[in-house]
């Protein structure tokens, strides 16, 4: 395959001079500018020589949780070397006339009956917060001058992914081909996210995911997709370590939503339990919005579980917890990050005390950026930001940074995001990407203590992982 | 317990212990260990002069030649016509006149992006998979439009289409739909009535040879539908893990499949992680690092026989040129000019590099089809036509194409 050399620009290459650092309305280092130079030199028939991330281990998986790790080494391991984009997209010139720089938003924002999510929609509260995080980032960018090359504003083109008959695919097609957005932020539901990234691959448009924690979302080898939120795999790893190593429990039952979020969310916990020689004795699924869980809970009680892990929405989780306690089940209750939402505590009341949830970030840390974001968010929307708003804010800011640098070319926007070497200093913490462009950071545990969530890192809990340390290697293609 | 351990060890030895051998000369595929031959393969008495057919004559077409768009999603050959689906329009190349006829939305095409094409051999109707626009039938110069709101099509994002007898199969992002053109009846296949772990259909192929329909389903491997009995059979990755391939040659390489063809007694399946072949008893995986194929990331494939299959990868056009002798050809474009090269590999060792004055239009390959001895290839930057003058299957010593190439270069 032809790689772009240091010789003259190729067919379709961008001949514009690189921006001077002082002209830019944001900081950029020499390394990033050198990457941009290589990207701009490549045209339709050349692939720029960009550094490719190489990870020693996929998703920081500890050796003891390696699939089949006790039996053999696999013939091949995927996701360790970064995917390249080798198509001709870098040779597409910027359009001559644009009034705004459009960024697509795809998320669950309107209540509907959704085929993709298995019935009545239930993620609008998350989608609305995600939308607000994006809006705030766009508004700030526009207040700072908008798209610096043309002095035009950024525009968020908002679409609902909850529509009838799996219409999320239609929505993303329209974002890509009719609205001509430069990139898309979305979505939360795992099924809709998968539909979106398959469209993104063919239509060649970058997708920044800020709210889907389905591990398989990123395990598709698509070079157009990145994610800035720690996924359920990482949440399951820390939960398993805490439950089995710290607390010494051995019989843990699962109760989960009967949808893709529940099914894929607990998979890594179930696998981890088996690999740690404490297989899950029982896993019960329930319908989203179910009111009576007595049958599922009785089965868990009959299986004599020492603890219960829940994967599903906050309201369902709280009702399950309350019914457990009403039935006299005193087992510790563990849950996914969605149970950190206010609705959980509101419904669970005093039963919430002692509950342990996984969390993709630490919102309680002392960080001036985070505090500033909180204040701005509250002033703009009149409510506190949570996980989905904060990650959407970070993802949108990263995307705007990439557009400012790369210009109006989808392939180059992808390249700038994919080759970022240094961590992004976000309100959710330092964002480093793995070789598969997933967020590299570890998950946290939140424990409800004295009517408050207290957040703990692995270090706080004394649960170090035996995985090779970062930073990642990079190799030339 | 011990019996299980014994069986596991035996399976491991069978799958890996006999899988490797070393070669002593020649250039290996990048980082390759050279696999021993799979069942049914033999290189006995072969030398490096025993070569597969290499396409040395290519012509390329772009918007300048009349294509509506250079981003080619689908190619289908039918008699004197080559149908081309692009990101912004449909084209039909007439081989006699060497001219393109083009349809865009303003010409009645219901939606701009055409991702799949099949031609009904009984009626000549052209069926189009529209990426976000449903399905269209071009018949008698008129487009009929089928979509979610006026038909039983399960979703408007349609990736591929295939005609089976009176039925038209549509691979959509939310299940498969089957339309009976005689009864006008639609049937929807999802997780509710088919063994789809996920419903994200990506490709569909009808094999008259076995009267079966093969679906490549993103996240659900390959599904086989027996037309007479309407029974399903499913092929999944045996290790059930996304991040590894546990054993080589144990089944489908990965559940994220992109295409499946059944030709000449063999099922060929492509994924974004490599390709594989199944002869009803043995699986064989093909990875770039051990074969010389351009890449594991495979957008689609097209099988010519049980021995030959063409792989549309993101880094070049790869061909399992002769399965029996473990021989491969990979075609590349060098860069901005139209020249390129073909590289011939056997058992992971490069045995010949053939310079091409004109090569494929671009290295990002999305679709292809056979046209007798010729091939038509859809790339992300133009359409390519490989002229198969003197084509032969398998390998030959000192083939005519090589003699001709040598004599041309001597002149």
């Amino acid at each position: 395959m032809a790689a772009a050399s240091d010789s003259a620009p190729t067919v379709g290459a961008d001949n514009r001079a690189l921006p001077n650092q002082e002209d830019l309305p944001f900081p950029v280092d020499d390394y990033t500018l050198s990457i941009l130079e290589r990207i701009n030199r490549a045209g339709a028939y050349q692939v720029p020589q960009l550094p490719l991330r190489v990870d020693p281990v996929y998703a920081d998986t500890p050796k003891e949780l390696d699939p089949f790790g006790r039996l053999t080494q696999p013939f091949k391991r995927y996701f360790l070397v970064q995917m390249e984009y080798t198509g001709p997209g870098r040779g597409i010139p910027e359009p001559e006339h644009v009034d705004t720089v459009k960024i697509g938003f795809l998320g669950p924002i309107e209540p509907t009956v959704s085929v993709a999510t298995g019935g009545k929609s239930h993620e609008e509260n998350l989608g609305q917060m995600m939308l607000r995080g994006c809006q705030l980032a766009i508004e700030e960018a526009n207040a700072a001058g908008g798209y610096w090359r043309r002095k035009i504003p950024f525009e968020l083109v908002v679409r609902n992914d909850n529509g009838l008959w799996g219409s999320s695919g239609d929505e993303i097609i329209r974002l890509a081909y009719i609205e001509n957005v430069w990139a898309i932020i979305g979505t939360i539901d795992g099924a809709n996210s998968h539909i979106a990234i398959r469209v993104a691959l063919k239509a060649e448009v970058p997708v920044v995911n800020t709210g889907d924690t389905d591990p398989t979302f990123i395990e598709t080898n698509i070079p157009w997709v990145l994610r800035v939120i720690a996924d359920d795999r990482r949440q399951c790893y820390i939960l398993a370590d805490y439950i089995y190593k710290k607390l010494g429990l051995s019989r843990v039952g699962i109760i989960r939503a009967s949808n893709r979020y529940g099914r894929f969310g607990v998979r890594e916990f179930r696998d981890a339990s088996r690999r740690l020689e404490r297989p899950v004795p029982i896993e019960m699924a329930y319908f989203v919005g179910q009111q009576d869980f007595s049958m599922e809970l009785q089965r868990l009680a009959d299986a004599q579980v020492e603890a219960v892990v829940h994967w599903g929405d906050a309201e369902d989780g709280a009702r399950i917890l309350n019914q457990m306690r009403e039935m006299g089940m005193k087992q510790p209750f563990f849950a996914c990050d969605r149970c950190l939402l206010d609705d959980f505590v509101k419904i669970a009341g005093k039963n919430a005390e002692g509950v342990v949830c996984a969390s993709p970030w630490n919102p309680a840390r002392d960080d001036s950026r985070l505090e500033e974001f909180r204040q701005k968010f509250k002033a703009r929307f009149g409510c506190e930001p949570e996980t989905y708003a904060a990650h959407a804010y970070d993802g949108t800011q990263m995307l705007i940074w990439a557009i400012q640098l790369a210009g109006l070319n989808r392939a180059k926007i992808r390249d700038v995001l994919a080759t970022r070497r240094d961590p992004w200093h976000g309100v959710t913490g330092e964002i480093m990407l793995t070789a598969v462009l997933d967020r590299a950071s570890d998950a946290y545990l939140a424990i409800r203590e004295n009517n408050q969530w207290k957040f703990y890192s692995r270090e706080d809990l004394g649960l170090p992982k035996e995985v090779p340390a970062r930073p990642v290697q990079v190799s030339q293609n | 317990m011990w019996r299980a351990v014994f069986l596991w060890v035996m399976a491991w030895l069978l799958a890996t212990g006999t899988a490797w051998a070393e070669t002593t000369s020649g250039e290996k595929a990048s980082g390759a260990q050279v696999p021993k031959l799979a069942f049914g393969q033999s290189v006995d008495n072969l030398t490096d002069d025993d070569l597969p057919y290499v396409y040395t004559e290519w012509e390329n077409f772009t918007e300048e030649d009349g294509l509506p768009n250079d981003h080619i999603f689908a190619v289908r050959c039918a008699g004197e016509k080559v149908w081309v689906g692009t990101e912004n329009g449909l084209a039909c190349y007439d081989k006699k006149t060497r001219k393109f006829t083009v349809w865009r939305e303003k010409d009645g095409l219901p939606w701009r992006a055409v991702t799949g094409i099949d031609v009904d051999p009984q009626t000549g109707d052209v069926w189009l998979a529209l990426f976000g626009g449903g399905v269209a039938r071009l018949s008698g110069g008129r487009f009929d439009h089928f979509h979610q709101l006026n038909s039983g099509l399960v979703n408007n994002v349609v990736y591929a289409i295939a005609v089976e007898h009176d039925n038209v199969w549509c691979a959509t992002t939310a299940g498969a739909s089957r339309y009976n053109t005689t009864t006008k009846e639609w049937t929807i296949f999802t997780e509710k009535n088919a063994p789809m772990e996920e419903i994200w259909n990506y490709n569909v192929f009808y094999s008259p040879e076995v009267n079966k329909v093969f679906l490549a389903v993103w996240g659900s491997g390959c599904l086989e539908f027996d037309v007479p009995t309407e029974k399903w059979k499913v092929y999944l990755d045996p290790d059930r893990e996304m991040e590894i391939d546990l054993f080589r040659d144990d089944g489908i390489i990965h559940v994220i499949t992109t295409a499946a063809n059944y030709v000449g007694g063999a099922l060929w399946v492509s994924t974004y992680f490599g390709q594989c072949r199944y002869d009803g008893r043995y699986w064989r995986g093909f990875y770039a690092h051990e074969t010389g194929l351009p890449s594991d990331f495979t957008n689609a494939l097209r099988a010519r026989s049980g021995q030959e299959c063409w792989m549309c990868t993101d880094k070049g056009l790869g061909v399992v040129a002769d399965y029996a002798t473990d021989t491969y050809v990979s075609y590349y474009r060098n860069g901005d000019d139209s020249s390129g090269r073909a590289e011939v590999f056997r058992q992971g060792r490069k045995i010949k590099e053939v310079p091409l004055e004109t090569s494929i239009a671009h290295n990002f390959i999305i679709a292809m089809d056979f046209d007798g001895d010729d091939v038509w290839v859809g790339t992300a930057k133009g359409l390519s036509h490989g002229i198969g003058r003197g084509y032969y299957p398998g390998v030959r010593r000192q083939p005519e194409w090589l003699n001709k190439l040598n004599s041309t270069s001597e002149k």
Side-chain angles (χ1 to χ4, degrees), chain A residues 111-426:
Chain A
T112 56
V113 177
S114 168
V115 170
T117 53
K120 186 176 175 297
S121 61
H122 56 103
E123 291 168 330
E124 298 83 61
N125 55 338
L126 313 181
Q128 287 288 352
M129 292 304 274
M130 181 171 119
L131 177 58
R132 288 171 183 162
C134 292
Q135 284 171 329
L136 186 60
I138 296 273
E139 287 165 7
E140 286 179 9
N142 287 339
Y147 179 53
W148 74 278
R149 289 171 203 266
R150 302 199 188 190
K151 312 293 182 215
I152 55 175
F154 291 96
E155 178 188 354
L156 198 61
V157 183
V158 180
R159 292 287 181 272
N160 183 41
D161 76 358
N162 256 349
L164 294 172
W165 306 322
S167 63
S168 61
D170 281 341
E171 297 291 6
I172 200 161
I173 291 272
R174 271 142 191 76
L175 286 173
Y177 286 118
I178 293 177
E179 296 291 351
N180 292 317
V181 300
W182 297 102
I184 294 168
I185 296 171
T187 175
I188 292 175
D189 170 69
N192 284 329
S193 297
H194 272 278
I195 288 172
I197 60 177
R198 293 170 61 213
V199 172
L201 172 64
K202 218 157 186 71
E204 302 195 338
V205 55
V207 170
V208 177
N209 187 281
T210 66
D212 178 8
T213 52
D214 175 355
T216 67
F217 167 79
I218 211 77
E219 294 170 344
T220 45
N221 246 5
I222 297 177
W224 289 91
V225 174
L226 67 91
R227 174 164 63 186
V228 300
I229 187 169
D231 70 354
D232 288 341
R233 174 188 289 273
R234 291 173 188 273
Q235 294 185 38
C236 286
Y237 286 173
I238 192 170
L239 263 180
D241 275 356
Y242 182 72
I243 289 170
Y244 298 123
K245 293 180 180 173
K246 186 88 177 175
L247 303 182
L249 302 175
S250 58
R251 282 182 70 81
V252 179
I254 292 175
I255 184 164
R256 64 161 175 87
S258 180
N259 58 14
R260 189 180 174 84
Y261 176 69
R263 185 160 53 102
F264 277 85
V266 296
R267 199 163 85 163
E268 293 303 330
F269 181 81
R270 196 176 54 229
D271 287 350
S273 303
R274 189 179 67 251
R275 287 164 191 156
L276 294 171
E277 299 183 342
R278 291 162 176 90
V280 171
I282 183 168
E283 179 177 330
M284 299 301 299
Y286 63 84
F287 292 109
V288 174
Q290 190 172 315
Q291 299 297 312
D292 179 7
F293 300 92
S294 53
M295 186 272 282
E296 290 84 358
L297 292 174
Q298 190 57 53
R299 295 265 175 91
L300 285 162
D302 291 346
Q304 297 180 314
V305 297
E306 298 169 342
V308 171
V309 168
H310 167 254
W311 225 268
D313 291 346
E315 300 88 337
D316 292 337
R319 285 196 296 273
I320 289 168
L321 175 62
N322 287 345
Q323 287 183 32
M324 269 180 70
R325 299 301 181 240
E326 283 166 20
M327 291 169 68
M329 293 174 69
K330 294 178 180 165
Q331 291 91 336
F333 189 83
F334 301 91
C336 57
D337 67 285
R338 288 193 183 181
C339 289
L340 285 170
L341 299 175
D342 290 345
D343 285 342
F344 180 82
V345 173
K346 213 179 288 174
I347 298 169
K350 63 180 185 345
N351 287 334
E353 193 68 14
V355 166
V356 181
C357 292
S359 174
W361 67 309
N362 179 3
R365 74 188 191 288
D366 186 16
D367 184 329
S368 58
R369 281 189 308 267
L370 175 59
E371 193 47 45
E372 190 187 346
F373 164 68
R374 273 211 180 96
Q375 287 172 11
K376 286 187 294 193
F377 192 94
K378 203 168 177 183
R380 171 69 176 83
F381 300 108
C383 60
E384 288 282 345
E386 39 64 286
T387 297
Y388 294 84
H391 285 82
Y393 181 77
D394 276 352
T396 309
Q397 282 205 324
M398 276 179 79
L399 179 57
I400 289 170
W401 168 81
I403 294 172
Q404 297 277 31
L405 267 178
L408 301 184
N409 177 292
R410 290 170 174 175
K412 291 178 185 176
I413 294 166
R414 184 221 83 95
D415 287 344
V416 168
L417 286 167
T419 55
R420 188 179 166 93
R421 182 188 59 180
D422 299 326
W424 178 268
H425 305 295

